[in-house]
Amino acid sequence: MKKIIFIPAILFAVTALFFSDGCARKKAIAPAGPPVLVAKSIATNLPVQIDPPPVGHVTPVQTVTIHSQIGGIIS
């Protein structure tokens, strides 16, 4: 009776060792990425120039200056 139990136990142990070998492999380590360049930030006022103007903006052909004929406040 012991031979019947002993053979499946050995078969199970061999099978477990066979499958556990695949789990023990270490994954390959990825190479390091390129170095990251860093610079200190500064706060400045810079003019914003949008050229060419975005779609939908209207630009006048001519400009004029209007002056009143009477000085003072009209109430």
Side-chain angles (χ1 to χ4, degrees):
M1 190 67 127
K2 288 186 179 183
K3 285 186 176 181
I4 296 174
I5 296 174
F6 187 68
I7 292 174
I10 292 176
L11 184 63
F12 176 75
V14 170
T15 306
L17 287 174
F18 179 74
F19 284 113
S20 69
D21 181 46
C23 297
R25 293 182 186 159
K26 294 182 180 179
K27 293 184 179 180
I29 298 173
V36 178
L37 302 176
V38 181
K40 289 190 176 188
S41 62
I42 56 171
T44 4
N45 290 329
L46 296 174
V48 178
Q49 296 177 356
I50 302 174
D51 192 38
V55 177
H57 278 243
V58 179
T59 54
V61 178
Q62 294 179 346
T63 57
V64 294
T65 306
I66 301 175
H67 296 283
S68 64
Q69 293 180 352
I70 304 171
I73 298 174
I74 301 174
S75 52

